[in-house]
Every structure is written in structure tokens, then in C-alpha cells.
Amino acid sequence: MTHTNKNQFVHDMHLFSQVTLMPEEAEDMWHTYNLLQVGDSLRASTIRKVQTESQTGSVGSSRVRTTLTLCVETIDFDSQACQLRVKGTNLEENQYVKMGAYHTIELELNRKFTLAKKSWDSVVLDRIEQACDATQKADVAAVVMQEGLANLVLVTPAMTLLRAKVELTIPRKRRGSCTQHEKALERFYEAVMQAILRHINFDVVKCFLVASPGFVRDQFMTYLFKEAVRQDNKVLLENRPKFILVHSSSGHKYSLKEILSDPTVTSRLSDTKASGEVKALEDFYKMLQHEPDRAFYGLAHVERATEALAIDTLLISDNLFRHQDVATRSRYVRLVDNVRDNGGNVRIFSSLHVSGEQLTQLSGVAAILRFPIADLSEPEDSSSDED
Amino acid sequence: MSRHRNVRGYNYDEDFEDDDMYGQSVEDDCCISPATANQFIYSRQERQAPKEEPLEEEEYEDEDVPMSPTISHNLNPLDQAKSRDAPHNKVDSEIVPKVARMTVSGKKQTMGFEVPSMGENGVVTALLRRGGSPEDATASSEATTKRPGTPSKGSNGDEPSTVPTPGRSSGKARQSINIKAELEKRQGGKPLLNLVVIGHVDAGKSTLMGHLLYLLGNVNKRTMHKYEQESKKAGKASFAYAWVLDETGEERDRGVTMDVGMTKFETNSKVVTLMDAPGHKDFIPNMITGAAQADVAVLVVDASRGEFEAGFEAGGQTREHALLVRSLGVTQLAVAVNKMDQVNWQQERFQDITSKLGHFLKQAGFKDSDVFYIPTSGLSGENLTARSSVSELTSWFSGPSLLEQIDGFKAPQRSIDKPFRLCVSDVFKDQGSGFCVTGKIEAGYIQTGDRILAMPPNETCTVKGITMHDEALDWAAAGDHVSLTVTGMDIIKINVGCVFCDPKEPVKVCTRFRARVLLFNIEVPITQGFPVLLHYQTVSEPATIRKLISVLHKSSGEVLKKKPKCLSKGMNAIVEVQTQRPVSLELYKDYKELGRFMLRYVGSTIAAGVVTEVK
């Protein structure tokens, strides 16, 4: 994402409380999704269907490109296609759209938009900084598989996108005939290979991890390159060095956590945000194991710990900041600010990553403390359990 | 019309010799097609609501069986039963077997006649008596005259003397009497035992069992010779015996067992279904599938210096496998201390291993009286089938050989009375239409032609054939490891982990359930939202721990703490588990074997549990 007129940023903030950004890639859509709140004003270029009535009375409709300013009411994010659609009412006079009329803007890549908010808190500013940061652009593709199941994912700094899932029942070996087993395996590898060719853009991807328990990955790699040679598939053959074989314990999506923290992987890649999050969560669990009084989770407990100025590291999931009513959101923001003010670290987990999903299950907020606090025996706030 | 008659494939050998009426199809007598007949001719036989049979069954069934015009829809399951198996049907007791049996070419025609000849005859003659009652018109005469042929094939004195009334319940009750009696008579009175072989990787499980099978004669010399030569060529000469059980190319190349290898052998007093489990950590899910179906286990440990210690320490599989089988309900265990020839049959080594293992197994929950230790050598074959003759061993060991010990296991009680349950462990397409599912019958019994329900897809289908160890059967009961050929359902819907059950008493399906779990030695504490892998029978499904409800005291079971923050090792707790997709399972108190499950995380087992409540 680029911020047009960065020098103007501070100036803009004070004068107009608005910022102009241009999303450059899919991930920027995700960042924008996290920035938008109900009630903000969004100005962007969009297409509107306009009814024209000619003198003779015949009605025709045409599509017109115009710039609209909306007061945001609904926000939708499609994680598979990374599309962001914003619905709202018109705020500014426009020759095609009446004031107060509804419109849905679909934000497009490489087109500027201007976002104005009533109040800008630290979390939002952080996110803009992060989004405009050009350094973190590592894209890792991975396939975790086991016999009969394969998950193909794309891991970006802020998102883990499931690109394809291949599931096939593979007959087991039986006394006397293993041909069915082997044939089904071949079909399975073929399906995974097709999925890779279709969904992975090798220009963007820095490296490709193949993970599995047992020997599935070795078998798969032999198959893949045998087919690549046979079909003379240049894409695969050129990108061969990008493939890394890693061990995982299963073919399910959460095994991604294991492979991202695998030492062979981390040495190959510079520390990606995703692996950093995994490590932070691991640290939390280790602390919970060894010194349970220094590891808390759940909003009530963590807030109490903040009051005691005890938090060393705060782990919080970004879905807590999304589209909440102002009161709840400001509660979380206050939490974050408090921890920062007291010299603690705050890690905001992206809820699309596997580690973020796990943190969300764990109520979304967790903390590692500097010193132990006696275990609070009050019952956990059960509202976070219900789903 | 001639489509309905398989003239070309008609196997006259299968005819009952004395029967003149055999071979005449109904269409000779009347000139309407069976379909028309079904529609327009009223059948007094009809007592139940018409069932819709999917059309695809018509394809191959129509050609072989001339249908009696008075039987309508219920014939289709009958057809399938007929075309494969013995000339009788047991599908719905109200349907009288009046269909003339014609065999389809290419199918195993000899199937129904050999193995369970006693069973089939018993049922047939019983049905014959029912068929005698003049309930049906035209074609029944033909069928009933056929019947006298069958009792001539053999006699089974076990006939219920009461003339059965034409009612469904009594019919079924009569069938079940037969099943139980058959079960006792089967295979000359030898009970069935399911054995799983477990142990650390490279302990010698496959070699031990392969050699045992060879010594018992289940593998003929030529095949063995072939394996020896090929393995030598591949550079794996010592794996020759293991190749009996490891059949896939991958397994032979790498010298490891990757999936459970299944076979059968007989001892003096038992028929044993053998399951050779993989020892590698990565293949534990496969091993769990095998162990879940087992009644007894053989734990193989390597006696060589250093190897035993490697297997026995925290990261090795000896411990994990023993804990897993114990948690899955196995109580009897034979420990084969293998590779004793490498340590020259030293007694102190044996004692050393025995005491260490004994201590651990006792902690795991095995009773000392149910654990037996046997020194063996898989490669040389000592002390496997016969008492050893090696002097170094006989000087201090006088216990039974491995085979004798397996013979000495007590076969467990099978719950035949409970509703039918079969957990699918494999699905594949075999010849013919329909497909095959393999699995162990956990409870109840099944006959060809029965309708069964598959959960969670919630679809019914019909059993066309039953096979056990490559022999066809007409019925099977709890404890048998069978392969069912079913029709009437799409193969896509069934995958490993489905449960086939009795349509009247289906198995529960849910995504959320409550369970009591016992945590093993884990490093990471379990919190809410913890992602685990649920292993239940043959299913392996990702799940999360939704709620930690309470912690219980280990022995007394009283609640120690409600809503704990996290669970650490050794705790006994009640938790709520949610799976990603619906799973069919039973409560522990209803079915002991079907109520257990395991939880794994990142390649190690973290907990074993029993299902207490389904939501």
C-alpha cells in the first residue's frame, strides 16, 4: 500500500482527519478491511449504473465512472478472492447520485481512496504504518499433505489463504492386491499437482514448502518432477530450487504452525511475520506450562493484570478491533495503549493465520506477565465460550 | 425379454441335479414382463410399504434372475443375494424364497456352497418350511420344488422345530437363533481372535509374524523363495520374512511397514486375524486403526544392546504403543522379546527387559496376570511355533512358545445382541457394481441382503455380499473382520470412518460431545480452543477442545475444580470437544468398545478418553 503524499500525513491528520492510500496488492485489501469502521467516510472511484431518460421518454441505462464519498455502513471481505466491498450512503453532492442514496463500492487495486475517521487510535495508525512498509513482502506457499488429504496454502505476512484442498479416499493395501492403493495415490498426486499449477504464481512466491508425515512428500516430489519432465513444464522445472521438504505431523491445516517454526525453514527465509506470531504463541504456551501464574488469557484476567502493570507481552487478535461498537473497541485499544505505555510488547495477530485462529479460540487476548499474579479463582467470563 | 435370462452364462453345474423344474423361467408361462407384473398384479405378500430401489440395481440383476411376478420391489435385494450366494434369501422374512436361482457368469459361483454350508442349509431348510405354506401363486411352486434339492447337500440338525409364523419378528428371531448357533458351530468351534502386533520401529514385528506364518504353512515355499531372492536383489536380504506382510512397493523399498497388514491364521484352538501395525511415529494413525479393532496384542521389543533402551525411552514407540492399546481396551498382552539370538539368549538381559517392562505395563494398567513374556528370534524362527531347541534358551526358559501363548489368550465376549455396528476402515471399488467396504463388526450381526444405514451420510444401502479373508460368507457376527459389498449408494459418500448400523437403531452423529479424558505426559498444557486430532476407531478428524468443564480426582472421580484455566499432564478431566465435520460415535456406557477415543497433537498422543454425552 502506498500513502500518497506522506508528508501531508501529519498535516492531514490534524486538519482533516483523513488519509489517502493506494492498495497495491491483495494483502492491502486485508489491511483496509481492518482499518474501516462503521461510520467512517470513504471516498473512492467507482462505477454507478445511471438511468437516463431521453426526450422521447425511452429509458436507457449506462454505467458511469465517478468518485463518491460514502458514509460506511457495511463492510464485506471475501478472503478467497481478496475483494473488499463497502456499502454506505452518499455524503457529498454528485451529479449522478443523490445525497443519502445507497451505493456499494468495490475497492480496486491501484486506485486511490481516501479514508476519514472521527478518531484515529494507535492501533489504526500502526496498521497503516505496517501496510505501507515496503520491506515485509515475503510470500510463502506451502502444501501440507498426508495420504488422501492435501491443503495448499499461501502465506503472506498478514494472511494465510487456503487455495485448494484435495481430499481423496485411498484404499488401503490388502493381502494380495496393492494396485488399487498405488493407483489411487497416483490420482491423488495428480490432483495436487494440478492444484499447484493452477493456484500458485511462482513469480511472487519466494519458496514452496512441501510437508507431510512419513514418506508422502518424497513420493510426491518424485512424481511431480517426473511429470514436469515428461510434460516439459517449464514453470515447475525453473522453480525447482524453491521447493523445500519439511516434516509435519499431519496433513491438516494447523500443521502449518509446525512447519513455519521448523529450523530449516526459518534459516532459509528471513523471519516472516507469520513465523514470528507462531513463536510468540509457543512462548505463551511454554509459560503456561511452567509458570501458570505468569500466563493469562481472557479479557477479564488480562485487564486485571494490566491494572497491576504486570504485562510483558500482550497477544491480541485483530478481529477484536474489527467492526465493534465504539465502546468495546475502545476498551481493547485502551488495553493496548496501557501495555505500550508500560514498556510492554504488543503483538497483534492476524486472524487469518493459523496461530491467529488458535488465539481467537483462546478468547482472542492473552498475556505473558513479568511477575506471577495469584491465580484469580473467579469463573471465566463465559460469553467468550459461546459461538 | 431374453434380457432377463442369462442364457449364455448359465452355469448348469450349479443346478441341483435332480431338479427338472430348474431352468424354466417364469416368462415361459406368462407373457408379461416382470415390471408390468409388479405394477399390475396384486401380491398378497406385500406387507410393508413399497421401498424405492434405485434403478442401477436393475442393470446386472435383471439379466440373471427371472422374477416372480408376485414379488415386487423387495426382489431387488433378493436378486443381489441370489446372484452371488446360496440359493436362499434371508432378507425380509416375509418374502418367501421363490425366486429361481440363476447364476451370473463371471461371479464366484462356488461361494455359497462351501464354507458356511451348514449355515446356509440350516436357514434354507427353515425357510423351506415356510415356503411350504401356500402363500403365493404361480412361481412359488417352482421354488419350493427346488428346495428339496438343498437339504440333500448336507444336513444341519440345528433346525428350529417350531413352524414359523409368517411374521417379521418371529422370522428375525429365528434367524438370530441360527446365527448364534452358527457362530458356535463355525470353523469347528474355534473362537475368533483379533490380534495386533505393535512395537518400536525395527523391533522385528513384520519379520516375526512373517516367519510365524511361514512355519504354519500359510505361505508356501515357492513364494517364500521368491521373496528371498527378490529381497536379496533389492539389497534387503534380512527383510525376506517381512515381505510376507509388507506388500506395497514403497514398503519394500524402504523396509518399513506403513500401513496395517492384515491376514489370518489358525492355532489349535483359535482362528486369529492378524494385524501387523507400523512402528514409525508418523504412522501411528494407521496403527490406531488397527489397534482399535484388536482384542489382544503382541508387543515386540528388540533385545539388542541399546535398541531396547532407544525404543523404551520417552520418544520411542514402545511406551506409546502400549499406552494406546491399553486405552483402546486391550487387556491381554504378550511381550515378545525379539532378536534374542543377537544377545546369545542371555537370561539376565531377558530378566532386565522383563522387569523394566513389567513395571511400566503395570503403571499403564495391564494386570500382571494378563501379561506374558516370551523370548524369540524372528529371523531364525526360534521359539515361534514350537518350543525352542537351542540349549542356551532351554536351560533357563521353559515357558510356552509364541504360538502357544497366542493360543492361550482368552477370546473376549462378543456383543451379538446389540444392534449392528461396523466401522469402515477401507472403501474401494471391486468388480461388479456397488463397492466394497472393509471393517470389523463391533456389535450385532449381518446377513447378505440386509439393509443397513451409513452414518453420517445417513443413507441406506443393501449388502450384496460378505467376504472374510477371501472367503465368501452369508452372515457375519460381532468380532469378524469382513469386507462387505454394498449397493444402492454412491461411493463418494462413504469414506473411512463412517459407521454402518442397523436402520432401526442408528448410531449417533454429532460435532460436539462431552467426554472424560485422561491426559498423558504432555509438555504443552491444554487450554480452550486447543486444536487436536481426534482418533476414534477408524476416523481421524481435526477437532478443538471447546470447553474445559471440570477437573476430576484420579481415582474417586469427584469434581476437584470447575472451569479450569488449563489442563496439564496426568489430569482426569471432563471436556467438550468439537469436531470440524460430523462424526458418528457411541456413548461409552452403551458400547464399551465404541466409546473410546484418543486425542493427538503434533505427532504425539496427549489424551485418551471416553464419550459421556453427545450434544
Side-chain angles (χ1 to χ4, degrees), chain B residues 67-90:
Chain B
M67 292 189 261
S68 151
T70 51
I71 297 181
S72 55
H73 38 265
N74 287 319
L75 256 185
N76 278 332
L78 279 183
D79 301 344
Q80 294 139 34
K82 294 271 163 279
S83 69
R84 289 260 178 119
D85 303 299
H88 61 274
N89 68 312
K90 320 184 253 289

PDB file of all heavy atoms in Angstrom, chain B residues 67-90:
ATOM      1  N   MET B  67     -37.947 -62.954 -12.403  1.00  0.00           N
ATOM      2  CA  MET B  67     -38.643 -62.600 -11.167  1.00  0.00           C
ATOM      3  C   MET B  67     -40.045 -63.164 -11.151  1.00  0.00           C
ATOM      4  O   MET B  67     -40.741 -63.174 -12.135  1.00  0.00           O
ATOM      5  CB  MET B  67     -38.703 -61.086 -11.041  1.00  0.00           C
ATOM      6  CG  MET B  67     -37.340 -60.497 -10.807  1.00  0.00           C
ATOM      7  SD  MET B  67     -37.499 -58.786 -10.425  1.00  0.00           S
ATOM      8  CE  MET B  67     -37.125 -58.122 -11.984  1.00  0.00           C
ATOM      9  N   SER B  68     -40.382 -63.557  -9.997  1.00  0.00           N
ATOM     10  CA  SER B  68     -41.765 -63.967  -9.837  1.00  0.00           C
ATOM     11  C   SER B  68     -42.622 -62.730  -9.913  1.00  0.00           C
ATOM     12  O   SER B  68     -42.318 -61.716  -9.321  1.00  0.00           O
ATOM     13  CB  SER B  68     -41.923 -64.643  -8.477  1.00  0.00           C
ATOM     14  OG  SER B  68     -43.218 -64.443  -8.017  1.00  0.00           O
ATOM     15  N   PRO B  69     -43.658 -62.792 -10.632  1.00  0.00           N
ATOM     16  CA  PRO B  69     -44.490 -61.589 -10.805  1.00  0.00           C
ATOM     17  C   PRO B  69     -45.138 -61.115  -9.535  1.00  0.00           C
ATOM     18  O   PRO B  69     -45.564 -59.995  -9.428  1.00  0.00           O
ATOM     19  CB  PRO B  69     -45.549 -62.016 -11.826  1.00  0.00           C
ATOM     20  CG  PRO B  69     -45.522 -63.505 -11.802  1.00  0.00           C
ATOM     21  CD  PRO B  69     -44.182 -63.923 -11.392  1.00  0.00           C
ATOM     22  N   THR B  70     -45.206 -61.965  -8.560  1.00  0.00           N
ATOM     23  CA  THR B  70     -45.904 -61.507  -7.372  1.00  0.00           C
ATOM     24  C   THR B  70     -44.993 -60.780  -6.400  1.00  0.00           C
ATOM     25  O   THR B  70     -45.436 -60.169  -5.465  1.00  0.00           O
ATOM     26  CB  THR B  70     -46.564 -62.679  -6.630  1.00  0.00           C
ATOM     27  OG1 THR B  70     -45.551 -63.683  -6.452  1.00  0.00           O
ATOM     28  CG2 THR B  70     -47.691 -63.250  -7.449  1.00  0.00           C
ATOM     29  N   ILE B  71     -43.754 -60.902  -6.640  1.00  0.00           N
ATOM     30  CA  ILE B  71     -42.878 -60.148  -5.750  1.00  0.00           C
ATOM     31  C   ILE B  71     -42.581 -58.833  -6.442  1.00  0.00           C
ATOM     32  O   ILE B  71     -42.190 -58.802  -7.576  1.00  0.00           O
ATOM     33  CB  ILE B  71     -41.546 -60.881  -5.521  1.00  0.00           C
ATOM     34  CG1 ILE B  71     -41.818 -62.200  -4.835  1.00  0.00           C
ATOM     35  CG2 ILE B  71     -40.633 -60.035  -4.661  1.00  0.00           C
ATOM     36  CD1 ILE B  71     -40.568 -62.938  -4.560  1.00  0.00           C
ATOM     37  N   SER B  72     -42.713 -57.799  -5.738  1.00  0.00           N
ATOM     38  CA  SER B  72     -42.443 -56.514  -6.372  1.00  0.00           C
ATOM     39  C   SER B  72     -41.083 -55.990  -5.965  1.00  0.00           C
ATOM     40  O   SER B  72     -40.083 -56.623  -6.132  1.00  0.00           O
ATOM     41  CB  SER B  72     -43.537 -55.532  -5.999  1.00  0.00           C
ATOM     42  OG  SER B  72     -43.615 -55.475  -4.600  1.00  0.00           O
ATOM     43  N   HIS B  73     -41.056 -54.854  -5.373  1.00  0.00           N
ATOM     44  CA  HIS B  73     -39.820 -54.153  -5.122  1.00  0.00           C
ATOM     45  C   HIS B  73     -38.848 -54.896  -4.234  1.00  0.00           C
ATOM     46  O   HIS B  73     -37.670 -54.737  -4.354  1.00  0.00           O
ATOM     47  CB  HIS B  73     -40.144 -52.821  -4.470  1.00  0.00           C
ATOM     48  CG  HIS B  73     -41.263 -52.992  -3.527  1.00  0.00           C
ATOM     49  ND1 HIS B  73     -42.562 -52.740  -3.901  1.00  0.00           N
ATOM     50  CD2 HIS B  73     -41.303 -53.453  -2.274  1.00  0.00           C
ATOM     51  CE1 HIS B  73     -43.346 -53.008  -2.865  1.00  0.00           C
ATOM     52  NE2 HIS B  73     -42.612 -53.428  -1.869  1.00  0.00           N
ATOM     53  N   ASN B  74     -39.339 -55.685  -3.354  1.00  0.00           N
ATOM     54  CA  ASN B  74     -38.412 -56.307  -2.411  1.00  0.00           C
ATOM     55  C   ASN B  74     -37.498 -57.302  -3.075  1.00  0.00           C
ATOM     56  O   ASN B  74     -36.629 -57.845  -2.467  1.00  0.00           O
ATOM     57  CB  ASN B  74     -39.185 -57.011  -1.297  1.00  0.00           C
ATOM     58  CG  ASN B  74     -39.779 -55.992  -0.387  1.00  0.00           C
ATOM     59  OD1 ASN B  74     -39.135 -55.025  -0.070  1.00  0.00           O
ATOM     60  ND2 ASN B  74     -41.023 -56.183  -0.024  1.00  0.00           N
ATOM     61  N   LEU B  75     -37.764 -57.542  -4.324  1.00  0.00           N
ATOM     62  CA  LEU B  75     -36.940 -58.517  -5.012  1.00  0.00           C
ATOM     63  C   LEU B  75     -35.520 -58.050  -5.221  1.00  0.00           C
ATOM     64  O   LEU B  75     -34.612 -58.838  -5.274  1.00  0.00           O
ATOM     65  CB  LEU B  75     -37.545 -58.842  -6.370  1.00  0.00           C
ATOM     66  CG  LEU B  75     -38.242 -60.188  -6.361  1.00  0.00           C
ATOM     67  CD1 LEU B  75     -38.712 -60.508  -7.739  1.00  0.00           C
ATOM     68  CD2 LEU B  75     -37.287 -61.264  -5.884  1.00  0.00           C
ATOM     69  N   ASN B  76     -35.364 -56.782  -5.407  1.00  0.00           N
ATOM     70  CA  ASN B  76     -34.013 -56.371  -5.796  1.00  0.00           C
ATOM     71  C   ASN B  76     -32.951 -56.766  -4.800  1.00  0.00           C
ATOM     72  O   ASN B  76     -31.951 -57.327  -5.174  1.00  0.00           O
ATOM     73  CB  ASN B  76     -33.984 -54.870  -6.065  1.00  0.00           C
ATOM     74  CG  ASN B  76     -34.497 -54.606  -7.465  1.00  0.00           C
ATOM     75  OD1 ASN B  76     -34.363 -55.467  -8.312  1.00  0.00           O
ATOM     76  ND2 ASN B  76     -35.094 -53.460  -7.668  1.00  0.00           N
ATOM     77  N   PRO B  77     -33.173 -56.531  -3.537  1.00  0.00           N
ATOM     78  CA  PRO B  77     -32.147 -57.043  -2.618  1.00  0.00           C
ATOM     79  C   PRO B  77     -32.028 -58.545  -2.702  1.00  0.00           C
ATOM     80  O   PRO B  77     -30.979 -59.109  -2.576  1.00  0.00           O
ATOM     81  CB  PRO B  77     -32.636 -56.592  -1.250  1.00  0.00           C
ATOM     82  CG  PRO B  77     -33.972 -56.018  -1.453  1.00  0.00           C
ATOM     83  CD  PRO B  77     -34.149 -55.712  -2.886  1.00  0.00           C
ATOM     84  N   LEU B  78     -33.138 -59.147  -2.961  1.00  0.00           N
ATOM     85  CA  LEU B  78     -33.127 -60.594  -3.105  1.00  0.00           C
ATOM     86  C   LEU B  78     -32.244 -60.991  -4.263  1.00  0.00           C
ATOM     87  O   LEU B  78     -31.448 -61.905  -4.165  1.00  0.00           O
ATOM     88  CB  LEU B  78     -34.541 -61.103  -3.373  1.00  0.00           C
ATOM     89  CG  LEU B  78     -35.428 -61.264  -2.157  1.00  0.00           C
ATOM     90  CD1 LEU B  78     -36.744 -61.835  -2.584  1.00  0.00           C
ATOM     91  CD2 LEU B  78     -34.762 -62.161  -1.142  1.00  0.00           C
ATOM     92  N   ASP B  79     -32.419 -60.282  -5.365  1.00  0.00           N
ATOM     93  CA  ASP B  79     -31.649 -60.625  -6.557  1.00  0.00           C
ATOM     94  C   ASP B  79     -30.183 -60.639  -6.261  1.00  0.00           C
ATOM     95  O   ASP B  79     -29.459 -61.523  -6.646  1.00  0.00           O
ATOM     96  CB  ASP B  79     -31.872 -59.590  -7.668  1.00  0.00           C
ATOM     97  CG  ASP B  79     -33.311 -59.500  -8.028  1.00  0.00           C
ATOM     98  OD1 ASP B  79     -34.058 -60.406  -7.655  1.00  0.00           O
ATOM     99  OD2 ASP B  79     -33.660 -58.514  -8.674  1.00  0.00           O
ATOM    100  N   GLN B  80     -29.789 -59.582  -5.586  1.00  0.00           N
ATOM    101  CA  GLN B  80     -28.370 -59.488  -5.332  1.00  0.00           C
ATOM    102  C   GLN B  80     -27.909 -60.643  -4.476  1.00  0.00           C
ATOM    103  O   GLN B  80     -26.886 -61.225  -4.705  1.00  0.00           O
ATOM    104  CB  GLN B  80     -28.056 -58.184  -4.621  1.00  0.00           C
ATOM    105  CG  GLN B  80     -28.338 -57.001  -5.511  1.00  0.00           C
ATOM    106  CD  GLN B  80     -28.971 -55.914  -4.728  1.00  0.00           C
ATOM    107  OE1 GLN B  80     -28.657 -55.747  -3.564  1.00  0.00           O
ATOM    108  NE2 GLN B  80     -29.877 -55.197  -5.329  1.00  0.00           N
ATOM    109  N   ALA B  81     -28.686 -60.950  -3.514  1.00  0.00           N
ATOM    110  CA  ALA B  81     -28.307 -62.067  -2.648  1.00  0.00           C
ATOM    111  C   ALA B  81     -28.250 -63.330  -3.483  1.00  0.00           C
ATOM    112  O   ALA B  81     -27.333 -64.103  -3.394  1.00  0.00           O
ATOM    113  CB  ALA B  81     -29.321 -62.193  -1.537  1.00  0.00           C
ATOM    114  N   LYS B  82     -29.232 -63.467  -4.317  1.00  0.00           N
ATOM    115  CA  LYS B  82     -29.301 -64.663  -5.133  1.00  0.00           C
ATOM    116  C   LYS B  82     -28.138 -64.801  -6.054  1.00  0.00           C
ATOM    117  O   LYS B  82     -27.570 -65.866  -6.202  1.00  0.00           O
ATOM    118  CB  LYS B  82     -30.570 -64.607  -6.003  1.00  0.00           C
ATOM    119  CG  LYS B  82     -31.825 -64.671  -5.224  1.00  0.00           C
ATOM    120  CD  LYS B  82     -32.273 -66.105  -5.027  1.00  0.00           C
ATOM    121  CE  LYS B  82     -33.272 -66.154  -3.907  1.00  0.00           C
ATOM    122  NZ  LYS B  82     -32.581 -66.146  -2.644  1.00  0.00           N
ATOM    123  N   SER B  83     -27.816 -63.762  -6.692  1.00  0.00           N
ATOM    124  CA  SER B  83     -26.835 -63.910  -7.768  1.00  0.00           C
ATOM    125  C   SER B  83     -25.487 -64.319  -7.235  1.00  0.00           C
ATOM    126  O   SER B  83     -24.701 -64.883  -7.933  1.00  0.00           O
ATOM    127  CB  SER B  83     -26.688 -62.604  -8.524  1.00  0.00           C
ATOM    128  OG  SER B  83     -26.056 -61.670  -7.678  1.00  0.00           O
ATOM    129  N   ARG B  84     -25.229 -64.043  -6.030  1.00  0.00           N
ATOM    130  CA  ARG B  84     -23.898 -64.347  -5.533  1.00  0.00           C
ATOM    131  C   ARG B  84     -23.873 -65.564  -4.639  1.00  0.00           C
ATOM    132  O   ARG B  84     -22.953 -66.325  -4.624  1.00  0.00           O
ATOM    133  CB  ARG B  84     -23.395 -63.174  -4.704  1.00  0.00           C
ATOM    134  CG  ARG B  84     -23.084 -62.004  -5.552  1.00  0.00           C
ATOM    135  CD  ARG B  84     -21.618 -61.955  -5.781  1.00  0.00           C
ATOM    136  NE  ARG B  84     -21.298 -60.842  -6.661  1.00  0.00           N
ATOM    137  CZ  ARG B  84     -20.539 -59.870  -6.313  1.00  0.00           C
ATOM    138  NH1 ARG B  84     -20.025 -59.866  -5.113  1.00  0.00           N
ATOM    139  NH2 ARG B  84     -20.260 -58.918  -7.147  1.00  0.00           N
ATOM    140  N   ASP B  85     -24.860 -65.652  -3.867  1.00  0.00           N
ATOM    141  CA  ASP B  85     -24.715 -66.586  -2.765  1.00  0.00           C
ATOM    142  C   ASP B  85     -25.627 -67.785  -2.869  1.00  0.00           C
ATOM    143  O   ASP B  85     -26.142 -68.104  -3.927  1.00  0.00           O
ATOM    144  CB  ASP B  85     -24.975 -65.835  -1.452  1.00  0.00           C
ATOM    145  CG  ASP B  85     -24.040 -64.681  -1.356  1.00  0.00           C
ATOM    146  OD1 ASP B  85     -22.839 -64.915  -1.351  1.00  0.00           O
ATOM    147  OD2 ASP B  85     -24.533 -63.547  -1.358  1.00  0.00           O
ATOM    148  N   ALA B  86     -25.800 -68.348  -1.780  1.00  0.00           N
ATOM    149  CA  ALA B  86     -26.533 -69.618  -1.744  1.00  0.00           C
ATOM    150  C   ALA B  86     -27.970 -69.431  -2.178  1.00  0.00           C
ATOM    151  O   ALA B  86     -28.509 -68.344  -2.144  1.00  0.00           O
ATOM    152  CB  ALA B  86     -26.473 -70.168  -0.322  1.00  0.00           C
ATOM    153  N   PRO B  87     -28.578 -70.434  -2.572  1.00  0.00           N
ATOM    154  CA  PRO B  87     -29.944 -70.346  -3.095  1.00  0.00           C
ATOM    155  C   PRO B  87     -30.978 -70.175  -2.003  1.00  0.00           C
ATOM    156  O   PRO B  87     -31.866 -70.982  -1.858  1.00  0.00           O
ATOM    157  CB  PRO B  87     -30.134 -71.658  -3.826  1.00  0.00           C
ATOM    158  CG  PRO B  87     -29.263 -72.612  -3.091  1.00  0.00           C
ATOM    159  CD  PRO B  87     -28.062 -71.812  -2.673  1.00  0.00           C
ATOM    160  N   HIS B  88     -30.825 -69.185  -1.238  1.00  0.00           N
ATOM    161  CA  HIS B  88     -31.861 -68.883  -0.274  1.00  0.00           C
ATOM    162  C   HIS B  88     -31.731 -67.419   0.025  1.00  0.00           C
ATOM    163  O   HIS B  88     -30.754 -66.803  -0.300  1.00  0.00           O
ATOM    164  CB  HIS B  88     -31.685 -69.689   1.007  1.00  0.00           C
ATOM    165  CG  HIS B  88     -30.385 -69.365   1.657  1.00  0.00           C
ATOM    166  ND1 HIS B  88     -29.229 -69.998   1.305  1.00  0.00           N
ATOM    167  CD2 HIS B  88     -30.046 -68.460   2.604  1.00  0.00           C
ATOM    168  CE1 HIS B  88     -28.234 -69.511   2.020  1.00  0.00           C
ATOM    169  NE2 HIS B  88     -28.698 -68.579   2.819  1.00  0.00           N
ATOM    170  N   ASN B  89     -32.732 -66.903   0.619  1.00  0.00           N
ATOM    171  CA  ASN B  89     -32.615 -65.492   0.960  1.00  0.00           C
ATOM    172  C   ASN B  89     -33.096 -65.310   2.365  1.00  0.00           C
ATOM    173  O   ASN B  89     -33.929 -66.029   2.865  1.00  0.00           O
ATOM    174  CB  ASN B  89     -33.436 -64.640   0.005  1.00  0.00           C
ATOM    175  CG  ASN B  89     -34.895 -64.886   0.211  1.00  0.00           C
ATOM    176  OD1 ASN B  89     -35.310 -66.036   0.264  1.00  0.00           O
ATOM    177  ND2 ASN B  89     -35.684 -63.856   0.362  1.00  0.00           N
ATOM    178  N   LYS B  90     -32.532 -64.325   2.988  1.00  0.00           N
ATOM    179  CA  LYS B  90     -32.975 -64.084   4.331  1.00  0.00           C
ATOM    180  C   LYS B  90     -33.370 -62.641   4.520  1.00  0.00           C
ATOM    181  O   LYS B  90     -33.412 -62.149   5.609  1.00  0.00           O
ATOM    182  CB  LYS B  90     -31.850 -64.369   5.319  1.00  0.00           C
ATOM    183  CG  LYS B  90     -31.042 -65.579   4.976  1.00  0.00           C
ATOM    184  CD  LYS B  90     -30.051 -65.795   6.054  1.00  0.00           C
ATOM    185  CE  LYS B  90     -28.636 -65.456   5.671  1.00  0.00           C
ATOM    186  NZ  LYS B  90     -28.001 -66.354   4.751  1.00  0.00           N
TER     187      LYS B  90
END
